[in-house]
Every structure is written in C-alpha cells, then in structure tokens.
C-alpha cells in the first residue's frame, strides 16, 4: 500500500514537472514569436487599425516580386488550411531549411536563412507556442514561383548557437538581431540578393499603406548611421518608433512588437549594434 502511494506520488511529481516544462516552453515561444521575431507582422491579416481581431496568424501579407508571387501562409492549427496536420519535425525542418513537407521550397521572403542560428530549445519553444494557436480556416492563394531564389544567411549565423554562447551580451544581442532578421531589411540588395559588404547600411525601400519607407543605416557611422545616438535614443526608436530627432518611423519596422521585449534583451541588442562597423 505504501509502495503504491509512493509510486503514485512520484508519477504525480513527474507529470507536474513535465507540464511545467511544457508551460515554460510555450511562454518562451510566445515571447519570441510575438516580440523579436515579429511573425505576426507577415502572417496576420491587416486592417486599417492593424491586425484583424480573431484572425491572428491565419495568413497575411502578399508579395509580387520577380522570383515569386506569394502570400504569407496560415500557421494556425487548422488541419486543412494551416499547419495543424504537420508534425513538429516538419515545422522545424521548414524553419531550418525553407522546405515544406511536400518538398517544395518556400519563397525567399521567409527569412529561414536567419533561423539556422536558433538554439534547439528555442526551436522547441516556437513549435510549442504555434501548437497553442486557435485553428482558423483560411486558404491563402497558392504560391507562384517564377525562378529559384534562396533565403540568404548573414555572416556569423551559419550554424546553431549554444546556450553558453548566449551568456555573452554581445553574442546574445547578435542572436536576437539575427532571429529577428533585422539585417534582412537593413542591408541593401543587389542583383544576386543581399550584399553583405554593406551589412547594416540600410537603403531598402518598402512601399505599403504607409506610403514608402526606407530602411535606415544602423551601423556605427556617426554621420549616416546611429553612431552618434545614445543607447536611450536607440532603445526609444526600437520600442516606440520615434527616432532621436522626434520623427516617427514607418512600418514595416516592428516597434509595436519590440515594445514588449525585456530591458535585458534590448540592452544586449544595443550592445551588439555598437559593434557593427561604420559604413557610409
């Protein structure tokens, strides 16, 4: 009788521990997806006031570019129009490689090249959070691929980071800036894609309902970049969309998402940005 009680108690403790671990993963995934990774910026449909309530992650922005014509897909748990029928391994494979379960590559607008750096634990957390999304039936248009175009990987992000590496503030800042694909927008494009010689120099144009925005130089240049900005001014720009001169930044900069990041994470991103060589 005592043995049965002990076994039952041990099983209850183990079950509670597993539940707590899963809860921690979901919380971490929620934080990553809804802050630095800004997934809803593309995957949630937009209305005049922003994301359409009740439709989060059910399919979003569209792009009609020379290589492809695509719409950000539904990533809710709907089995027919979302990813509810995918396995965890298939979701991770897509995020690591950009290849769907049916073997078809996704468009290069999805920054999977920046996701190679994601730790195993954070990848588990992202998938755990996606599994909590309410299934919403919404079929987006099928993609049209005109010619191959691969997502590029920025220098230093070619392989997965370890937990030990994230203890260093600058490396942690690089990690966050990379999974947040900041330099996807803040590095100019050439005929063959991003030209990493001009890493962080900005200059890409983004037309939209806001008019046309141009990505800023975020190198340490004191005249063209943010080298003359204080840490507080950089933090304000990241989290509120207001630059050091009081001008309001335009989308698709995801400052509404970054506003919910921890002070520690913002501090480390700024610490990393301070290391980006000046480019004019």
């Amino acid at each position: 009788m005592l043995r049965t009680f002990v076994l039952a108690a041990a099983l209850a403790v183990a079950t509670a521990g597993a539940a707590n671990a899963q809860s921690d993963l979901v919380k971490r995934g929620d934080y990553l997806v809804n802050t630095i990774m800004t997934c809803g910026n593309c995957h949630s449909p937009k209305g005049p006031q922003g994301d359409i309530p009740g439709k989060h992650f059910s399919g979003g922005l569209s792009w009609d570019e020379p290589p492809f014509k695509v719409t950000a897909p539904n990533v809710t748990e709907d089995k027919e129009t979302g990813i509810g029928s995918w396995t965890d391994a298939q979701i991770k494979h897509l995020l690591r490689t950009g290849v769907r379960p049916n073997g078809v590559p996704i468009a290069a607008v999805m920054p999977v090249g920046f996701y190679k750096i994601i730790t195993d634990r954070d990848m588990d957390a992202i998938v755990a959070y996606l599994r909590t999304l309410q299934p919403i039936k919404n079929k987006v248009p099928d993609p049209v691929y005109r010619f191959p175009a691969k997502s590029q990987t920025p220098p230093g992000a070619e392989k997965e980071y370890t937990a030990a590496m994230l203890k260093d503030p600058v490396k942690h800042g690089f990690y966050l800036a990379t999974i947040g694909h900041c330099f996807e927008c803040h590095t100019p494009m050439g005929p063959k894609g991003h030209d990493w010689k001009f890493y962080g120099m900005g200059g890409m144009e983004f037309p939209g309902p806001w008019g046309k925005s141009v990505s800023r130089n975020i190198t340490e240049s004191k005249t063209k970049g943010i080298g003359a900005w204080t840490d507080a001014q950089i933090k304000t720009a990241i989290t509120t969309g207001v630059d050091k001169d009081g001008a309001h930044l335009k989308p698709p900069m995801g400052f509404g998402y970054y506003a919910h990041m921890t002070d520690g994470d913002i501090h480390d991103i700024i610490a990393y940005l301070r290391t980006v060589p000046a480019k004019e």
Side-chain angles (χ1 to χ4, degrees), residues 248-273:
H248 287 266
L249 306 179
K250 297 179 180 179
M253 175 72 174
F255 40 82
Y257 294 86
Y258 308 142
H260 301 289
M261 294 182 68
T262 66
D263 286 343
D265 282 355
I266 295 291
H267 172 275
D268 289 355
I269 290 173
I270 294 172
Y272 167 65
L273 291 176

Side-chain angles (χ1 to χ4, degrees), residues 3-276:
R3 183 182 178 188
T4 301
F5 175 78
V6 171
L7 288 174
L11 180 60
V13 169
T15 302
N20 288 337
Q22 183 66 12
S23 176
D24 288 343
L25 277 179
V26 171
K27 288 177 182 177
R28 174 65 175 170
D30 185 351
Y31 177 77
L32 293 172
V33 166
N34 291 304
T35 62
I36 186 62
M37 294 181 73
T38 64
C39 300
N41 218 11
C42 292
H43 287 279
S44 292
K46 311 299 179 192
Q49 306 302 319
D51 290 357
I52 298 175
K55 299 291 185 181
H56 298 298
F57 298 107
S58 65
L61 300 182
S62 297
W63 296 265
D64 190 351
E65 304 291 340
F68 48 73
K69 182 178 182 180
V70 297
T71 297
N74 183 338
V75 294
T76 73
E77 278 290 272
D78 184 68
K79 292 183 181 297
E80 294 181 5
T81 64
I83 59 173
S85 63
W86 296 26
T87 67
D88 291 0
Q90 288 172 333
I91 297 173
K92 292 175 185 178
H93 184 70
L94 179 136
L95 290 172
R96 295 277 192 209
T97 68
V99 179
R100 297 174 183 272
N102 61 6
V104 176
I106 59 175
V109 69
M110 176 72 170
V112 293
F114 290 71
Y115 296 157
K116 293 178 181 179
I117 198 174
I118 296 177
T119 66
D120 275 343
R121 183 179 185 277
D122 278 350
M123 188 63 78
D124 288 342
I126 291 164
V127 173
Y129 172 70
L130 291 177
R131 292 303 193 196
T132 71
L133 296 179
Q134 176 186 355
I136 300 172
K137 191 172 297 296
N138 181 41
K139 178 73 168 65
V140 303
D142 290 333
V144 175
Y145 300 112
R146 301 181 178 111
F147 57 85
K150 293 184 178 180
S151 176
Q152 295 174 284
T153 301
E158 296 86 0
K159 56 186 178 181
E160 179 192 328
Y161 257 35
T162 65
M165 298 169 80
L166 299 183
K167 293 179 181 179
D168 177 86
V170 172
K171 288 181 179 179
H172 185 224
F174 173 69
Y175 176 79
L176 292 171
T178 300
I179 69 174
H181 46 93
C182 303
F183 289 84
E184 181 188 29
C185 293
H186 287 279
T187 299
M189 295 276 280
K192 297 183 178 181
H194 287 97
D195 190 338
W196 300 122
K197 295 193 303 291
F198 303 108
Y199 183 80
M201 202 170 76
M204 285 186 65
E205 296 183 353
F206 298 90
W210 50 82
K212 182 174 72 175
S213 57
V214 181
S215 64
R216 181 183 293 274
N217 184 324
I218 56 173
T219 73
E220 274 292 276
S221 169
K222 293 187 181 298
T223 55
K224 301 290 187 179
I226 57 175
W229 293 33
T230 66
D231 288 1
Q233 288 170 334
I234 297 174
K235 179 180 179 180
T236 297
I238 291 173
T239 59
T240 71
V242 178
D243 72 13
K244 77 179 184 69
D245 299 318
H248 287 266
L249 306 179
K250 297 179 180 179
M253 175 72 174
F255 40 82
Y257 294 86
Y258 308 142
H260 301 289
M261 294 182 68
T262 66
D263 286 343
D265 282 355
I266 295 291
H267 172 275
D268 289 355
I269 290 173
I270 294 172
Y272 167 65
L273 291 176
R274 293 302 192 194
T275 71
V276 179

